[in-house]
Amino acid sequence: MTSEEGMRIWVKSGYLNPLKVSMPPIKGQEPAYDQLPNLIGWVSWPGSRGLEVDKRVLNWRDKVLYGETGVKEGWRPPSRK
């Protein structure tokens, strides 16, 4: 999937090319490609509870984006088990 051929097939579905494969942007995706320099890589959490961490982060992000909580109010330290 990360080969040049795989990336060419993948971007036809609407995904952006996050790799350094030289391909012209698909028409209509230019604004998204213009924002690529501002992106921050996603953390891959190690261990058996990595998916749980991802879910908590995404849930918190969604609550902030939907105005259900503020950034400071939405944060609570994880419980220790």
Side-chain angles (χ1 to χ4, degrees):
M1 187 170 179
T2 58
S3 69
E4 185 169 347
E5 178 186 6
M7 191 57 61
R8 288 184 187 282
I9 294 168
W10 192 34
V11 298
K12 288 179 183 177
S13 66
Y15 287 96
L16 297 179
N17 173 15
L19 305 176
K20 302 288 184 199
V21 176
S22 60
M23 292 175 45
I26 295 173
K27 185 177 178 177
Q29 288 186 333
E30 296 87 358
Y33 277 100
D34 291 344
Q35 296 176 44
L36 282 176
N38 302 319
L39 296 180
I40 297 171
W42 185 255
V43 176
S44 179
W45 302 98
S48 62
R49 297 181 69 190
L51 290 176
E52 180 183 346
V53 174
D54 278 343
K55 184 164 179 56
R56 287 179 181 245
V57 170
L58 294 175
N59 287 342
W60 172 72
R61 178 213 58 196
D62 289 347
K63 287 181 180 187
V64 171
L65 291 175
Y66 292 125
E68 297 172 8
T69 188
V71 174
K72 288 182 182 179
E73 297 82 11
W75 166 252
R76 10 176 216 143
S79 62
R80 302 278 181 206
K81 291 185 180 181

Coordinates of all heavy atoms in Angstrom, one line a residue:
M1 N 0.8 -1.2 0.0 CA 0.0 0.0 0.0 C 0.9 1.3 0.0 O 0.4 2.3 -0.5 CB -0.9 0.0 1.2 CG -1.9 1.1 1.2 SD -3.0 0.7 2.6 CE -4.1 2.1 2.5
T2 N 2.1 1.2 0.5 CA 2.9 2.4 0.6 C 3.8 2.4 -0.6 O 4.6 3.4 -0.7 CB 3.8 2.4 1.8 OG1 4.6 1.2 1.9 CG2 2.9 2.5 3.1
S3 N 3.7 1.5 -1.6 CA 4.5 1.6 -2.8 C 3.8 2.7 -3.7 O 2.7 3.1 -3.4 CB 4.4 0.3 -3.6 OG 3.1 0.1 -4.1
E4 N 4.5 3.2 -4.6 CA 4.0 4.2 -5.5 C 2.7 3.7 -6.2 O 1.7 4.4 -6.3 CB 5.0 4.7 -6.5 CG 4.5 5.8 -7.4 CD 5.6 6.5 -8.2 OE1 6.8 6.2 -8.0 OE2 5.2 7.3 -9.1
E5 N 2.7 2.5 -6.7 CA 1.5 2.0 -7.4 C 0.3 1.9 -6.4 O -0.8 2.3 -6.7 CB 1.8 0.6 -7.9 CG 0.6 -0.1 -8.6 CD 0.9 -1.5 -9.0 OE1 2.0 -2.1 -8.7 OE2 0.0 -2.0 -9.7
G6 N 0.6 1.4 -5.2 CA -0.4 1.3 -4.2 C -1.0 2.6 -3.8 O -2.2 2.8 -3.7
M7 N -0.2 3.6 -3.7 CA -0.6 5.0 -3.4 C -1.5 5.6 -4.5 O -2.5 6.2 -4.2 CB 0.6 5.9 -3.1 CG 0.2 7.2 -2.4 SD -0.7 7.1 -0.9 CE 0.4 6.2 0.2
R8 N -1.1 5.3 -5.7 CA -1.9 5.8 -6.8 C -3.3 5.2 -6.8 O -4.3 5.9 -7.1 CB -1.2 5.5 -8.2 CG 0.0 6.3 -8.4 CD 0.7 6.1 -9.8 NE 1.9 6.8 -9.9 CZ 2.0 8.1 -10.2 NH1 1.0 8.8 -10.3 NH2 3.2 8.6 -10.3
I9 N -3.4 4.0 -6.5 CA -4.7 3.3 -6.4 C -5.5 3.9 -5.2 O -6.7 4.2 -5.3 CB -4.6 1.8 -6.3 CG1 -4.0 1.2 -7.6 CG2 -5.9 1.1 -6.0 CD1 -3.5 -0.2 -7.5
W10 N -4.8 4.0 -4.1 CA -5.5 4.5 -2.8 C -6.1 5.9 -3.0 O -7.2 6.1 -2.5 CB -4.5 4.4 -1.7 CG -5.1 4.5 -0.3 CD1 -6.3 4.1 0.1 CD2 -4.4 5.1 0.8 NE1 -6.4 4.4 1.4 CE2 -5.3 5.0 1.9 CE3 -3.2 5.7 1.0 CZ2 -5.0 5.5 3.1 CZ3 -2.9 6.2 2.2 CH2 -3.8 6.1 3.3
V11 N -5.3 6.8 -3.6 CA -5.8 8.2 -3.6 C -7.0 8.3 -4.5 O -7.7 9.3 -4.4 CB -4.7 9.2 -4.0 CG1 -3.6 9.2 -3.0 CG2 -4.1 8.9 -5.4
K12 N -7.2 7.4 -5.4 CA -8.4 7.5 -6.3 C -9.7 7.4 -5.5 O -10.7 7.8 -5.9 CB -8.4 6.4 -7.3 CG -7.3 6.6 -8.4 CD -7.3 5.5 -9.4 CE -6.3 5.7 -10.4 NZ -6.2 4.6 -11.4
S13 N -9.6 6.9 -4.2 CA -10.8 6.7 -3.4 C -11.1 8.0 -2.6 O -12.1 8.1 -1.9 CB -10.6 5.5 -2.4 OG -9.6 5.8 -1.5
G14 N -10.2 9.0 -2.7 CA -10.4 10.3 -2.0 C -9.4 10.5 -0.9 O -9.4 11.6 -0.4
Y15 N -8.6 9.6 -0.6 CA -7.6 9.8 0.5 C -6.5 10.6 -0.1 O -6.2 10.6 -1.3 CB -7.1 8.5 1.0 CG -8.0 7.7 1.8 CD1 -8.8 6.7 1.3 CD2 -8.2 8.0 3.2 CE1 -9.7 6.0 2.1 CE2 -9.0 7.3 4.0 CZ -9.8 6.3 3.4 OH -10.7 5.6 4.2
L16 N -5.8 11.4 0.8 CA -4.7 12.1 0.5 C -3.4 11.3 0.5 O -3.4 10.3 1.2 CB -4.5 13.3 1.4 CG -5.6 14.4 1.4 CD1 -5.3 15.4 2.4 CD2 -5.8 14.9 0.0
N17 N -2.5 11.6 -0.3 CA -1.2 10.9 -0.3 C -0.3 11.5 0.8 O 0.2 12.6 0.6 CB -0.5 11.1 -1.7 CG 0.9 10.6 -1.7 OD1 1.3 9.8 -0.8 ND2 1.6 10.9 -2.7
P18 N -0.1 10.8 1.9 CA 0.7 11.4 3.0 C 2.2 11.1 2.8 O 3.0 11.6 3.6 CB 0.2 10.6 4.2 CG -0.2 9.3 3.7 CD -0.7 9.6 2.3
L19 N 2.6 10.4 1.8 CA 4.0 10.0 1.6 C 4.6 10.9 0.6 O 4.0 11.8 0.0 CB 4.0 8.6 1.1 CG 3.4 7.5 2.0 CD1 3.4 6.2 1.4 CD2 4.0 7.5 3.4
K20 N 5.9 10.7 0.4 CA 6.7 11.6 -0.5 C 6.7 11.0 -1.9 O 7.7 10.9 -2.5 CB 8.1 11.7 0.0 CG 8.2 12.3 1.4 CD 7.9 13.8 1.4 CE 8.1 14.4 2.7 NZ 7.4 15.6 3.0
V21 N 5.6 10.5 -2.4 CA 5.5 10.0 -3.7 C 5.1 11.2 -4.6 O 4.1 11.9 -4.3 CB 4.4 8.9 -3.8 CG1 4.2 8.4 -5.2 CG2 4.9 7.7 -2.9
S22 N 5.8 11.4 -5.7 CA 5.5 12.6 -6.5 C 4.2 12.3 -7.4 O 4.3 11.5 -8.3 CB 6.7 13.0 -7.3 OG 7.0 11.9 -8.2
M23 N 3.1 12.8 -6.9 CA 1.9 12.7 -7.7 C 1.1 14.0 -7.7 O 1.1 14.7 -6.7 CB 1.0 11.6 -7.0 CG 1.5 10.2 -7.0 SD 0.5 9.1 -6.1 CE -1.2 9.5 -6.6
P24 N 0.6 14.4 -8.8 CA -0.2 15.6 -8.8 C -1.5 15.4 -7.9 O -2.0 14.3 -7.9 CB -0.5 15.9 -10.2 CG -0.4 14.5 -10.9 CD 0.6 13.8 -10.1
P25 N -1.9 16.5 -7.2 CA -3.1 16.4 -6.4 C -4.3 16.1 -7.4 O -4.4 16.5 -8.5 CB -3.3 17.7 -5.8 CG -2.0 18.4 -5.9 CD -1.3 17.8 -7.0
I26 N -5.3 15.3 -6.8 CA -6.5 15.0 -7.6 C -7.3 16.3 -7.5 O -7.4 17.0 -6.5 CB -7.2 13.9 -6.9 CG1 -6.4 12.6 -7.1 CG2 -8.6 13.7 -7.5 CD1 -6.9 11.4 -6.3
K27 N -8.0 16.6 -8.7 CA -8.8 17.8 -8.8 C -9.8 17.9 -7.6 O -10.5 16.9 -7.3 CB -9.5 17.9 -10.1 CG -10.3 19.2 -10.3 CD -10.9 19.2 -11.6 CE -11.7 20.5 -11.7 NZ -12.3 20.8 -13.0
G28 N -9.8 19.0 -6.9 CA -10.7 19.2 -5.8 C -10.0 19.0 -4.4 O -10.5 19.4 -3.4
Q29 N -8.8 18.3 -4.5 CA -8.1 18.1 -3.2 C -7.0 19.1 -2.9 O -6.3 19.0 -1.9 CB -7.5 16.7 -3.2 CG -8.5 15.5 -3.1 CD -7.8 14.2 -3.0 OE1 -6.7 14.0 -3.5 NE2 -8.5 13.3 -2.4
E30 N -6.8 20.0 -3.8 CA -5.7 21.0 -3.6 C -5.8 21.7 -2.3 O -4.7 21.8 -1.6 CB -5.8 22.1 -4.8 CG -5.5 21.5 -6.2 CD -6.8 21.0 -6.8 OE1 -7.9 21.1 -6.2 OE2 -6.7 20.6 -8.0
P31 N -6.9 22.2 -1.8 CA -6.9 22.8 -0.4 C -6.4 21.9 0.7 O -5.7 22.3 1.6 CB -8.4 23.2 -0.2 CG -9.0 23.3 -1.6 CD -8.2 22.2 -2.4
A32 N -6.8 20.6 0.6 CA -6.3 19.7 1.6 C -4.8 19.5 1.5 O -4.1 19.4 2.5 CB -7.0 18.3 1.4
Y33 N -4.3 19.3 0.3 CA -2.8 19.2 0.1 C -2.1 20.4 0.6 O -1.0 20.4 1.1 CB -2.5 18.9 -1.4 CG -2.6 17.4 -1.7 CD1 -3.7 16.9 -2.4 CD2 -1.6 16.5 -1.4 CE1 -3.8 15.6 -2.7 CE2 -1.7 15.2 -1.7 CZ -2.8 14.7 -2.3 OH -2.9 13.4 -2.6
D34 N -2.7 21.6 0.4 CA -2.1 22.8 0.9 C -1.9 22.8 2.4 O -1.0 23.5 2.9 CB -2.9 24.1 0.5 CG -2.9 24.3 -1.0 OD1 -2.0 23.7 -1.7 OD2 -3.8 25.1 -1.5
Q35 N -2.7 22.1 3.1 CA -2.6 22.0 4.6 C -1.7 20.9 5.1 O -1.4 20.9 6.3 CB -4.0 21.8 5.2 CG -5.0 22.9 4.9 CD -6.4 22.6 5.3 OE1 -6.6 22.1 6.4 NE2 -7.4 22.9 4.5
L36 N -1.2 20.1 4.2 CA -0.3 19.0 4.7 C 0.9 19.5 5.5 O 1.3 18.8 6.5 CB 0.2 18.2 3.5 CG -0.8 17.2 2.9 CD1 -0.2 16.5 1.7 CD2 -1.2 16.1 4.0
P37 N 1.5 20.6 5.2 CA 2.7 21.0 6.1 C 2.3 21.3 7.5 O 3.1 21.3 8.4 CB 3.2 22.3 5.4 CG 2.7 22.2 4.0 CD 1.4 21.5 4.1
N38 N 1.0 21.6 7.8 CA 0.6 21.9 9.1 C 0.1 20.7 9.9 O -0.3 20.8 11.1 CB -0.6 22.9 9.1 CG -0.2 24.1 8.3 OD1 0.9 24.7 8.5 ND2 -1.1 24.6 7.5
L39 N 0.2 19.5 9.3 CA -0.3 18.3 10.0 C 0.7 17.8 11.1 O 1.9 18.0 11.0 CB -0.5 17.2 9.0 CG -1.6 17.4 8.0 CD1 -1.7 16.2 7.1 CD2 -3.0 17.7 8.6
I40 N 0.1 17.2 12.1 CA 0.9 16.6 13.2 C 0.7 15.1 13.1 O -0.5 14.6 13.0 CB 0.4 17.1 14.5 CG1 0.7 18.6 14.6 CG2 1.2 16.4 15.7 CD1 0.1 19.3 15.8
G41 N 1.7 14.3 13.2 CA 1.6 12.8 13.1 C 0.8 12.3 14.2 O 0.7 12.8 15.3
W42 N 0.1 11.2 14.0 CA -0.7 10.5 15.0 C 0.2 9.6 15.8 O 1.0 8.9 15.3 CB -1.8 9.7 14.3 CG -2.7 9.1 15.3 CD1 -2.8 7.8 15.7 CD2 -3.7 9.8 16.1 NE1 -3.8 7.6 16.7 CE2 -4.4 8.8 16.9 CE3 -4.1 11.1 16.2 CZ2 -5.4 9.2 17.8 CZ3 -5.2 11.5 17.1 CH2 -5.8 10.5 17.9
V43 N 0.0 9.6 17.1 CA 0.8 8.7 18.0 C 0.2 7.3 18.0 O -1.0 7.1 18.1 CB 0.7 9.3 19.5 CG1 1.4 8.3 20.4 CG2 1.3 10.7 19.5
S44 N 1.0 6.3 17.8 CA 0.6 5.0 18.0 C 1.0 4.5 19.4 O 2.2 4.3 19.7 CB 1.4 4.1 16.9 OG 1.0 2.8 17.0
W45 N 0.0 4.4 20.2 CA 0.2 4.0 21.6 C 0.6 2.6 21.8 O 0.0 1.7 21.2 CB -1.0 4.3 22.4 CG -1.5 5.7 22.3 CD1 -2.5 6.2 21.5 CD2 -1.0 6.9 23.0 NE1 -2.6 7.6 21.7 CE2 -1.7 8.0 22.6 CE3 0.0 7.0 24.0 CZ2 -1.4 9.3 23.1 CZ3 0.3 8.3 24.5 CH2 -0.4 9.4 24.0
P46 N 1.7 2.3 22.5 CA 2.2 1.0 22.7 C 1.3 0.2 23.7 O 0.6 0.8 24.5 CB 3.6 1.1 23.1 CG 3.6 2.4 23.9 CD 2.6 3.3 23.1
G47 N 1.5 -1.1 23.7 CA 0.9 -1.9 24.7 C -0.5 -2.4 24.4 O -1.1 -2.0 23.4
S48 N -1.0 -3.2 25.3 CA -2.3 -3.9 25.0 C -3.5 -2.9 25.2 O -4.6 -3.3 24.7 CB -2.5 -5.0 26.0 OG -2.5 -4.6 27.4
R49 N -3.3 -1.7 25.7 CA -4.4 -0.8 25.9 C -4.3 0.4 24.9 O -5.0 1.4 25.1 CB -4.5 -0.3 27.3 CG -4.7 -1.5 28.3 CD -4.8 -1.1 29.7 NE -6.0 -0.3 30.0 CZ -6.2 0.3 31.1 NH1 -5.3 0.3 32.1 NH2 -7.3 1.0 31.2
G50 N -3.5 0.2 23.9 CA -3.4 1.3 22.9 C -4.6 1.8 22.3 O -4.9 3.0 22.1
L51 N -5.5 0.8 21.9 CA -6.8 1.2 21.3 C -7.7 1.9 22.3 O -8.4 2.8 21.9 CB -7.5 0.0 20.7 CG -6.8 -0.7 19.5 CD1 -7.5 -1.9 19.1 CD2 -6.7 0.3 18.3
E52 N -7.6 1.6 23.5 CA -8.4 2.3 24.5 C -8.0 3.7 24.7 O -8.8 4.6 24.8 CB -8.3 1.6 25.9 CG -9.1 2.2 27.0 CD -8.9 1.6 28.3 OE1 -8.3 0.5 28.4 OE2 -9.3 2.2 29.3
V53 N -6.7 4.0 24.6 CA -6.1 5.3 24.7 C -6.6 6.1 23.5 O -7.1 7.2 23.6 CB -4.6 5.3 24.8 CG1 -4.1 6.8 24.7 CG2 -4.1 4.7 26.0
D54 N -6.5 5.5 22.3 CA -7.0 6.2 21.1 C -8.5 6.6 21.2 O -8.9 7.7 20.9 CB -6.9 5.3 19.8 CG -5.5 5.3 19.2 OD1 -4.7 6.2 19.6 OD2 -5.2 4.4 18.5
K55 N -9.3 5.6 21.7 CA -10.8 5.9 21.8 C -11.0 7.1 22.8 O -11.8 7.9 22.6 CB -11.5 4.7 22.3 CG -13.0 4.8 22.4 CD -13.7 3.5 22.4 CE -15.2 3.6 22.5 NZ -15.8 4.4 21.5
R56 N -10.3 7.1 23.9 CA -10.4 8.2 24.9 C -10.0 9.5 24.3 O -10.7 10.5 24.5 CB -9.6 7.9 26.1 CG -10.2 6.8 27.0 CD -9.3 6.6 28.2 NE -9.8 5.6 29.0 CZ -10.3 5.7 30.3 NH1 -10.2 6.9 30.8 NH2 -10.7 4.7 31.0
V57 N -8.9 9.6 23.6 CA -8.5 10.8 22.9 C -9.5 11.3 21.9 O -9.9 12.4 21.9 CB -7.1 10.6 22.3 CG1 -6.8 11.8 21.4 CG2 -6.0 10.4 23.3
L58 N -10.0 10.4 21.1 CA -11.0 10.7 20.1 C -12.3 11.2 20.7 O -13.0 12.1 20.2 CB -11.2 9.6 19.1 CG -10.0 9.2 18.2 CD1 -10.3 8.0 17.4 CD2 -9.6 10.4 17.4
N59 N -12.8 10.5 21.7 CA -14.0 10.9 22.4 C -13.9 12.3 23.0 O -14.8 13.2 22.9 CB -14.4 9.9 23.5 CG -14.9 8.6 23.0 OD1 -15.3 8.5 21.8 ND2 -14.9 7.6 23.8
W60 N -12.7 12.6 23.6 CA -12.5 13.9 24.2 C -12.4 15.0 23.1 O -13.1 16.0 23.2 CB -11.2 13.8 25.0 CG -10.7 15.2 25.5 CD1 -11.2 15.9 26.5 CD2 -9.6 15.9 25.0 NE1 -10.5 17.0 26.7 CE2 -9.4 17.1 25.8 CE3 -8.6 15.7 24.0 CZ2 -8.4 18.0 25.5 CZ3 -7.6 16.6 23.8 CH2 -7.6 17.8 24.6
R61 N -11.8 14.7 22.0 CA -11.7 15.6 20.9 C -13.1 15.9 20.4 O -13.4 17.1 20.1 CB -10.8 15.0 19.8 CG -10.7 15.9 18.5 CD -10.6 15.1 17.3 NE -11.7 14.2 17.1 CZ -11.7 13.3 16.2 NH1 -10.7 13.0 15.4 NH2 -12.8 12.5 16.0
D62 N -13.9 14.9 20.2 CA -15.2 15.1 19.7 C -16.1 16.0 20.6 O -16.8 16.9 20.1 CB -16.0 13.8 19.4 CG -15.4 13.0 18.3 OD1 -14.6 13.6 17.5 OD2 -15.7 11.8 18.1
K63 N -16.0 15.8 21.9 CA -16.7 16.6 22.8 C -16.3 18.1 22.7 O -17.1 19.0 22.8 CB -16.6 16.1 24.3 CG -17.3 14.8 24.5 CD -17.1 14.3 25.9 CE -17.9 13.0 26.1 NZ -18.0 12.6 27.5
V64 N -15.0 18.3 22.6 CA -14.5 19.7 22.4 C -15.1 20.3 21.1 O -15.6 21.4 21.1 CB -13.0 19.8 22.5 CG1 -12.5 21.1 22.1 CG2 -12.5 19.4 23.9
L65 N -15.0 19.5 20.0 CA -15.4 20.0 18.7 C -16.9 20.3 18.7 O -17.3 21.2 18.0 CB -15.0 19.0 17.6 CG -13.5 18.9 17.3 CD1 -13.3 17.8 16.3 CD2 -12.9 20.2 16.8
Y66 N -17.7 19.5 19.4 CA -19.1 19.7 19.4 C -19.6 20.6 20.4 O -20.8 20.8 20.6 CB -19.8 18.3 19.5 CG -19.7 17.4 18.3 CD1 -19.2 16.1 18.4 CD2 -20.0 17.9 17.0 CE1 -19.0 15.3 17.3 CE2 -19.9 17.1 15.9 CZ -19.4 15.8 16.1 OH -19.2 15.0 15.0
G67 N -18.6 21.3 21.1 CA -19.0 22.3 22.1 C -19.6 21.7 23.4 O -20.2 22.4 24.2
E68 N -19.4 20.4 23.7 CA -20.0 19.8 24.9 C -19.1 20.1 26.1 O -19.6 19.9 27.2 CB -20.1 18.3 24.7 CG -21.1 17.9 23.6 CD -21.1 16.5 23.2 OE1 -20.5 15.7 23.9 OE2 -21.8 16.1 22.2
T69 N -17.8 20.4 25.9 CA -16.9 20.7 26.9 C -15.8 21.6 26.4 O -15.6 21.7 25.2 CB -16.3 19.4 27.6 OG1 -15.6 19.8 28.8 CG2 -15.4 18.7 26.6
G70 N -15.1 22.3 27.3 CA -14.0 23.1 26.9 C -12.7 22.2 27.0 O -12.8 21.1 27.5
V71 N -11.6 22.7 26.5 CA -10.4 21.9 26.5 C -9.9 21.6 27.9 O -9.7 20.5 28.3 CB -9.3 22.7 25.7 CG1 -7.9 21.9 25.8 CG2 -9.6 22.8 24.3
K72 N -9.9 22.6 28.8 CA -9.4 22.4 30.2 C -10.4 21.5 30.9 O -10.1 20.7 31.7 CB -9.2 23.7 30.9 CG -8.0 24.4 30.4 CD -7.8 25.7 31.1 CE -6.6 26.4 30.6 NZ -6.3 27.7 31.3
E73 N -11.7 21.8 30.7 CA -12.7 21.0 31.5 C -12.8 19.6 31.0 O -13.2 18.7 31.8 CB -14.1 21.7 31.3 CG -14.2 23.1 31.9 CD -13.6 24.2 30.9 OE1 -13.4 23.9 29.7 OE2 -13.5 25.3 31.4
G74 N -12.5 19.3 29.8 CA -12.6 18.0 29.2 C -11.5 17.1 29.6 O -11.6 15.9 29.5
W75 N -10.5 17.6 30.1 CA -9.3 16.8 30.5 C -9.4 16.2 31.9 O -9.7 17.0 32.8 CB -8.0 17.6 30.4 CG -6.9 16.9 31.0 CD1 -6.3 17.2 32.2 CD2 -6.2 15.7 30.6 NE1 -5.3 16.3 32.5 CE2 -5.2 15.4 31.5 CE3 -6.4 14.8 29.5 CZ2 -4.4 14.2 31.4 CZ3 -5.6 13.7 29.4 CH2 -4.6 13.4 30.3
R76 N -9.3 15.0 32.0 CA -9.1 14.4 33.3 C -8.0 13.3 33.2 O -7.9 12.6 32.3 CB -10.3 13.7 33.9 CG -11.4 13.5 33.1 CD -12.6 12.8 33.7 NE -13.1 12.1 32.6 CZ -13.6 10.9 32.6 NH1 -13.7 10.2 33.7 NH2 -13.9 10.3 31.5
P77 N -7.2 13.3 34.3 CA -6.1 12.3 34.2 C -6.7 10.9 34.2 O -7.7 10.6 34.7 CB -5.4 12.5 35.5 CG -5.8 13.8 36.0 CD -7.1 14.1 35.4
P78 N -6.0 9.9 33.5 CA -6.5 8.6 33.4 C -6.5 7.9 34.8 O -5.6 8.2 35.6 CB -5.5 7.9 32.5 CG -4.3 8.7 32.5 CD -4.7 10.1 32.8
S79 N -7.5 7.1 35.1 CA -7.5 6.3 36.4 C -6.4 5.3 36.3 O -6.1 4.7 35.3 CB -8.9 5.7 36.6 OG -9.1 4.8 35.6
R80 N -5.9 5.0 37.5 CA -4.8 4.0 37.6 C -5.5 2.7 38.0 O -6.2 2.6 39.0 CB -3.8 4.4 38.7 CG -3.1 5.7 38.4 CD -2.0 5.5 37.4 NE -1.3 6.7 37.2 CZ -0.7 7.0 36.1 NH1 -0.6 6.1 35.2 NH2 -0.1 8.2 36.0
K81 N -5.3 1.6 37.2 CA -5.9 0.3 37.6 C -4.8 -0.6 37.9 O -3.7 -0.6 37.5 CB -6.7 -0.2 36.4 CG -7.9 0.6 36.1 CD -8.7 0.0 35.0 CE -10.0 0.8 34.8 NZ -10.8 0.3 33.7

